[in-house]
Amino acid sequence: MPLANDIFWPELHPSLMPPHFNNYPQLLLAEGDSWFAWGYLGFDVQPNLLNRLKFAKSTATLNYAYSGHTSHDMAGMSVSAGFMQEMSARQYNASLLSGGGNDLFDALKEGNILKAPDAGADPNDPASYIDVVELDMLKDYVIKNYQQILSWRLLPTSKNQSTPVLLHTYDVPMPRPAPALAYGQPAAGPWLHPALEAVNAPAALRFDIIREIAMDMLDSIRAFDDPLGGIHVVDSFGSTLVPAAAGTTGSDADWENEIHPNAAGYDKLAMKINQQLAQLGIV
């Protein structure tokens, strides 16, 4: 029978750290955003990508992920000092990173990336609603932050210079008025729907606009794929999850809310991560 991934939070729940963490046959180190962290507080308990992973061997993940983390947060010492220090504290079988989505959501919230079509542009073309200069600047920003994070693996003090790193892309969320809930009440979001409303994007184009942005944005993650260097990008874009229906306000298809998959969605994503880990001998 497959074994669950035992997840420990050294900063959020230090008292729950097992005394013999190093005795697990397989150890993973994780940093990221809500796709790795959603539901950690225990309210409205939701799955995340890490707790849907399954293994044949007993496996534990030391998790520094936190809902809302941007790539900038992950690269900053005020947030990720513990994650960086773990590179030198003990050797892991693999390191898992999840990030970039919140950088995009923050940019959208600030009125960047999306725009009304320029004079003479086709209002029925999804690309006419995207500020490519702003999007390119955001991509460069995310790349710079990931370079910083990945550099810690190669520090002279690191015990994980040859430890494989797994990054992942995201699948395309349907823009819709579906916030994340806490105790049954809206707690965060929606993230995409208001930004598209602000530029009067036609409802029929909204999924395609976000798809165009995501397809371009995720190139900043794909650029790091370097199997010979031990960095592997698991690409789930566009073909892994069934999109929710436009206008729905709760769990639909493979999505719990506007940007977080539900259990069925995370199971599909976890299968891809497990397959990549298995190719690296982590089963």
Side-chain angles (χ1 to χ4, degrees):
M1 176 180 292
L3 300 173
N5 179 25
D6 291 339
I7 303 173
F8 300 99
W9 308 82
E11 294 178 338
L12 296 170
H13 300 152
S15 64
L16 300 181
M17 281 292 294
H20 303 296
F21 180 79
N22 289 344
N23 290 348
Y24 277 85
Q26 296 181 145
L27 294 177
L28 305 177
L29 178 64
E31 169 64 291
D33 54 23
S34 56
W35 276 37
F36 278 7
W38 187 246
Y40 72 89
L41 289 175
F43 55 70
D44 289 345
V45 177
Q46 298 293 340
N48 61 55
L49 185 47
L50 292 181
N51 65 26
R52 306 308 287 186
L53 296 175
K54 304 294 182 185
F55 298 95
K57 297 178 183 178
S58 183
T59 302
T61 298
L62 198 66
N63 191 11
Y64 286 87
Y66 193 85
S67 296
H69 267 184
T70 63
S71 65
H72 178 70
D73 293 329
M74 293 162 57
M77 285 298 91
S78 61
V79 171
S80 288
F83 176 80
M84 185 193 74
Q85 290 166 0
E86 275 300 320
M87 292 287 182
S88 300
R90 66 188 109 211
Q91 186 172 6
Y92 288 85
N93 295 91
S95 179
L96 309 179
L97 298 176
S98 174
N102 287 311
D103 298 85
L104 174 60
F105 303 146
D106 285 352
L108 291 172
K109 184 178 180 179
E110 293 165 4
N112 302 324
I113 310 301
L114 289 172
K115 64 181 181 65
D118 296 328
D122 182 1
N124 295 310
D125 180 3
S128 66
Y129 294 86
I130 303 170
D131 188 328
V132 294
V133 174
E134 289 284 347
L135 185 55
D136 284 345
M137 290 173 59
L138 179 62
K139 289 165 59 181
D140 290 343
Y141 177 75
V142 170
I143 288 171
K144 179 180 178 181
N145 289 328
Y146 263 100
Q147 288 172 335
Q148 174 66 33
I149 297 164
L150 292 169
S151 72
W152 300 334
R153 170 176 172 255
L154 301 179
L155 290 173
T157 57
S158 173
K159 295 180 180 179
N160 291 277
Q161 294 181 7
S162 60
T163 297
V165 180
L166 267 67
L167 288 69
H168 72 82
T169 62
Y170 300 84
D171 213 334
V172 187
M174 174 65 73
R176 59 193 183 110
L181 304 179
Y183 300 107
Q185 299 299 316
W191 297 261
L192 310 173
H193 187 261
L196 289 158
E197 294 242 300
V199 297
N200 296 313
L205 291 182
R206 292 181 181 183
F207 181 78
D208 290 332
I209 293 170
I210 295 302
R211 181 184 175 87
E212 290 262 346
I213 291 172
M215 185 163 52
D216 194 0
M217 172 72 183
L218 291 172
D219 282 343
S220 61
I221 306 298
R222 297 187 187 101
F224 288 98
D225 190 50
D226 178 18
L228 292 179
I231 302 175
H232 308 265
V233 176
V234 179
D235 199 345
S236 58
F237 174 79
S239 61
T240 305
L241 304 183
V242 177
T248 52
T249 59
S251 185
D252 189 69
D254 285 332
W255 296 84
E256 183 65 26
N257 51 57
E258 192 184 37
I259 64 168
H260 298 104
N262 54 26
Y266 277 126
D267 281 341
K268 293 179 180 180
L269 296 163
M271 185 178 299
K272 289 196 168 187
I273 298 292
N274 272 132
Q275 288 172 346
Q276 180 62 70
L277 289 171
Q279 292 179 24
L280 300 170
I282 304 166
V283 297

